[in-house]
Amino acid sequence: MLGIFGKLLDSNEREVKSLKTTIDSIASFEKKLEKLDNKKLQTKFEEFKKRHEKGESLEDLLPEVFASAREAAKRTINERHFDVQLMAATTLHHGKIAEQRTGEGKTLSATPAIFLNAIPGKGVHLITVNDYLAKRDAGWMGPVYHALGVTVATIVHDEAFIYDPKYKDTSHEDKRLQHLKPVSRKEAYNADITYGTNNEFGFDYLRDNMVYKLSDKAQRGHYMAIVDEVDSILIDEARTPLIISAPAQEPTEKYVKFSKLIEKLDGTSDYVIDEKQRTANLTEHGILKIEKILGVDNLYEKDFSTLHHVEEALKARTLFQKDKDYVVKDGEVIIVDEFTGRLMMGRRYSEGLHQAIEAKEGVEIQQESQTLATISFQNYFRMYEKLAGMTGTAVTEAEEFHKIYKLDVVVIPTNRDMVRKDHPDVIYKTISGKYSAVANLVAELHEKGQPVLVGTTSIEKNEFLSELLKRKGVSHALLNAKNHEKEAEIISKAGEKGAVTVATNMAGRGVDIKLGKYVADLGGLYVVGTERHESRRIDNQLRGRSGRQGDSGETRFFISLEDDLMRIFGGEQVSKVMNFLKMPEDTPIEHGMVSKAIEGAQRKVEGHNFDIRKHTVEYDDVMNQQRQIIYGIRHKVLVTADNQGLDLKEEILDKIAITISGMVSSFSEEQDYLKLVEEYMTIVPLDQNSKKDLEQRLREFQETEKLTEFLVNLTADFYNERENNVGSETARQMEVFVYLNTIDQLWIEHLDTIDDLRSGIGLRGYAGRDPLVEYKKEAFDLFEKLVTEIDSEIVHRIFKVATQNQTPSPVVVGPSVEIRPEVDISLEQETSDPRPNVIAKEEIAKVGETKVTIERGGKVIGQETYGSSGELTKQHGKIGRNDPCYCGSGKKYKKCHYPN
Ligand code: ADP
Ligand code: MG
């Protein structure tokens, strides 16, 4: 009966036992360290670094390092690490997940492991779930690190700070936020320790792979990451990737058209909805109807775009509900976060779904965007040499952590014994019956003075319950869609006598609830769940709010047969139990068997969701490999450029030589000189006279080898000639620019292609073949094509970049032939081509600004503007007349290179 879980507990016990021996050796250092004065303690970091360089491993150093961290915490924040916290720290150091219950002090637990891993000097990242916690925790633990001589910084959206006790910002009441001095992102990453959110770390990585200068990279590598609330980040949030995108120009009428089209369909005959899978599919009948309306013979043959639009419009109409999944406010469709119930301002669903919903709601439709860079959290975090995590709820997802991240879970004992009472679920027939029971219980507890925290799954339900409580005259705090700092303040008071707090699932997470005076005797914090979540883990998080550090407390979930989980997943199992128990019509029942049946249903859903995530990862792996290769090449180019050597020049000339020899070999079959010259001119543009001259000159060669040699040398001469004209520094810049820009541009197109491939792959009849295998194969072919294309583009673009004031000078080849590369013409051609093309003397082309959108989970998080010094941009060809000219002259475009 024990099964896997039993084995898990067994090995956990062994693990805990072995951790205990470490605790003893840590303790043995305490007396000695107590005697050190503060100055001496501050030199500890340097000392450990030296010893590590001389060969002591981190494992060797661990006991003394941990003991030093404990000493520092004692002196600075007056908290001495509990033994169980040091066990957690050891677990983190070993690259595992430490499951520590809420309120056990995970913030402090991480410090010894962070300190230890900062010793190799490669930086340690501590990942938090929101910006508020990133600042709070860095500022809170700042004094501990400072006392040890370690620097700590934090990165949040648009800002970065370093902990500096001398700096004081009194605009915050919370002392922990007062000593954070603003610094650049790069400085923050250069600190020994950097706190920040998963989003910011991920986006910085993507941004770093869009820069044109090595020194513009902010991150210095991915050595160790410790992820706080690791289940939220690596499981819940991992479902949606990070995306940086730019707006693309697509007409918006089509969304309206398709939305209207779907309106004409009939829900009983034209499509079927599967709530469980969250899918909506057209029936044969529905397809015929659409084909008739659109006047096409076969919808599936028309194009992916049409089909895609039809599908998104159908989803928008059938699966996405106003005031549940999203709200419409001030003419905008705003997503409601499924977990927290917050309004996700500015975030958008991807792949045209958001536009489809906008069309359905009849509000203004915002443009679809183009992905510039993207990565999933799975793949971001798998880059770290060492990864570890902490959370109150990991063990239910142990298998997933192990399979996807190779992270094992160790359940750390609590500091004090847990005395919280978890009552069995009570189950009602109807939702309204359930809610009035909840309201009654809350009123009763409130009367008695016992604080209550009610968790709900959405804003709507939050407000509904709030209304019920108002009618009963129960005063309460309502928590949703507020800012994290405020939320933190409210939730921290939820344990006071008589307090009633109604909160969406995870509002105010990361902040623990301390009990007020006399509350322990009243039974402690009472947590009421109003619905079971799909995942037991989320329910456990809610329960975990109560019973911290040996506090008394109670929890209970209220459920109705009309709840989503029951309707969609629980059905059979639960009704069987209900029948067995002969549930009466109008009274609720409370029985362990019901809770068990529900947990059985949850387990099924969890498994199902894990499968989906695993599936996503499998597909994602393909892109991930490709991204690593491309980013690797990119990085090499940046490093080469930074060294100012001739390596790139040689590489480019080699690529040209290969292209030329290809041209000559196809020429040898046809013997068409004019064609050869014209082909050559796609690399080096020539004026009309030079073209004729070159053709004549080529006719003199009999052997193709000699011909190739001549052309290759000629090209090298042109190249050197140009270099003499513009100066070698500019020549090097041109190389970097063309190289990187080509990679970026083609990579972005590739992202799009792969995206289409991926969404289309399921639609193709593969006659029983595995779509994943087919996808991998096709993606591989496309990638090979991409790599060839990058080379070809570089070859064909390098001679077409020009600088300001560059006058093409004649190149003399042999006694009678004068061949002139025609730079001016090519310049004009290139300006009408919407591609970045031109380089300036000092800087890479200054272009019009490009708005860049930062996106997660298909939801826009922020927008950025790129383009002041040559970062990736899509809009070089579309410079405004009044923008600074691309050539870097500083003059307006219309007064400089604007074509007359
Ligand atoms: P968690 O993240 O595990 O929920 P926190 O890090 O927010 O917990 O800490 C919860 C509370 O416990 C904080 O108020 C903190 O000051 C306190 N705490 C943590 N460790 C200790 C300790 N060793 N001694 C005293 N108080 C501690
Ligand atoms: Mg915490």
Side-chain angles (χ1 to χ4, degrees), residues 663-728:
M663 284 175 182
V664 176
S665 57
S666 52
F667 156 81
S668 58
E669 284 162 25
E670 299 167 14
Q671 297 287 321
D672 184 340
Y673 285 93
L674 183 62
K675 194 173 157 211
L676 177 61
V677 171
E678 277 171 353
E679 269 186 38
Y680 177 74
M681 283 171 62
T682 61
I683 303 176
V684 185
L686 303 171
D687 66 15
Q688 287 308 309
N689 287 335
S690 306
K691 181 180 168 186
K692 277 189 206 117
D693 291 345
L694 181 61
E695 192 189 333
Q696 258 171 30
R697 188 81 171 78
L698 292 185
R699 287 184 189 279
E700 292 164 22
F701 293 96
Q702 304 301 318
E703 294 167 51
T704 49
E705 258 164 56
K706 284 266 151 54
L707 190 60
T708 309
E709 198 186 312
F710 169 77
L711 279 175
V712 168
N713 288 337
L714 179 70
T715 316
D717 288 344
F718 285 154
Y719 203 95
N720 289 326
E721 179 66 29
R722 183 178 67 166
E723 183 166 334
N724 286 339
N725 286 337
V726 300
S728 62

Side-chain angles (χ1 to χ4, degrees), residues 735-847:
E735 288 154 3
V736 183
F737 181 70
V738 169
Y739 212 127
L740 293 182
N741 198 270
T742 304
I743 292 179
D744 291 346
Q745 181 145 20
L746 294 176
W747 172 244
I748 289 165
E749 282 172 20
H750 181 72
L751 287 178
D752 245 12
T753 317
I754 292 282
D755 226 34
D756 288 348
L757 173 67
R758 187 162 161 176
S759 48
I761 204 95
L763 297 172
R764 303 192 208 170
Y766 274 118
R769 276 177 288 166
D770 181 355
L772 178 63
V773 174
E774 297 303 312
Y775 170 77
K776 279 185 180 163
K777 199 172 131 289
E778 288 194 35
F780 180 78
D781 292 346
L782 284 168
F783 188 69
E784 283 207 313
K785 221 175 99 205
L786 168 72
V787 173
T788 328
E789 235 171 68
I790 288 175
D791 280 357
S792 161
E793 273 287 303
I794 292 170
V795 167
H796 288 95
R797 278 172 71 180
I798 191 71
F799 275 96
K800 296 177 190 163
V801 294
T803 60
Q804 184 196 11
N805 305 332
Q806 181 185 347
T807 36
S809 54
V811 180
V812 181
V813 188
S816 63
V817 187
E818 188 187 72
I819 300 170
R820 244 164 94 112
E822 183 66 286
V823 175
D824 279 337
I825 287 177
S826 69
L827 183 66
E828 248 175 66
Q829 284 169 347
E830 282 271 314
T831 0
S832 56
D833 178 351
R835 286 183 178 180
N837 54 349
V838 179
I839 187 170
K841 275 249 164 58
E842 287 300 324
E843 295 174 65
I844 309 299
K846 274 216 170 77
V847 290

Side-chain angles (χ1 to χ4, degrees), residues 81 85 89 92 100 105-115 126 145 195 226 390:
H81 290 83
Q85 288 179 311
L92 296 176
Q100 283 177 284
K106 288 185 276 293
T107 324
L108 185 65
S109 292
T111 52
I114 295 173
F115 179 40
L126 187 290
Y145 296 122
Y195 282 65
I226 297 179
M390 35 191 201

Side-chain angles (χ1 to χ4, degrees), residues 70 73 77-83 85 100-110 133 136-137 140-141 176 228-229 390-392 415 509-514 544-545 548-549:
R70 188 185 238 177
I77 58 172
N78 198 23
E79 287 180 6
R80 178 180 178 274
H81 290 83
F82 301 131
D83 285 352
Q85 288 179 311
Q100 283 177 284
R101 297 180 30 82
T102 308
E104 285 292 302
K106 288 185 276 293
T107 324
L108 185 65
S109 292
L133 293 174
R136 184 199 72 175
D137 292 358
W140 188 5
M141 298 298 123
R176 297 175 295 194
D228 192 9
E229 308 272 2
M390 35 191 201
T391 175
N415 184 44
R509 73 180 155 183
V511 180
D512 73 326
I513 302 174
K514 288 183 182 144
R545 291 293 200 169
R548 60 175 286 282
Q549 291 285 344

Side-chain angles (χ1 to χ4, degrees), residues 419 449-451 495 497 515-525 550-554:
V419 298
Q450 184 173 6
K497 193 173 173 192
L515 298 185
K517 263 192 198 152
Y518 315 118
V519 167
D521 297 335
L522 293 169
L525 178 66
D551 282 348
S552 54
E554 293 174 70

Side-chain angles (χ1 to χ4, degrees), residues 105 149 204 267 517 528 536 578 613 816:
D204 282 340
K517 263 192 198 152
V528 177
R536 286 170 292 162
M578 307 285 283
R613 289 188 292 263
S816 63

Side-chain angles (χ1 to χ4, degrees), residues 95 122 221-225 380-388:
K122 297 195 233 171
H222 302 91
Y223 173 58
M224 186 188 199
Y380 176 74
F381 284 108
R382 289 199 295 194
M383 284 193 308
Y384 284 88
E385 267 174 63
K386 271 180 93 171
L387 182 62

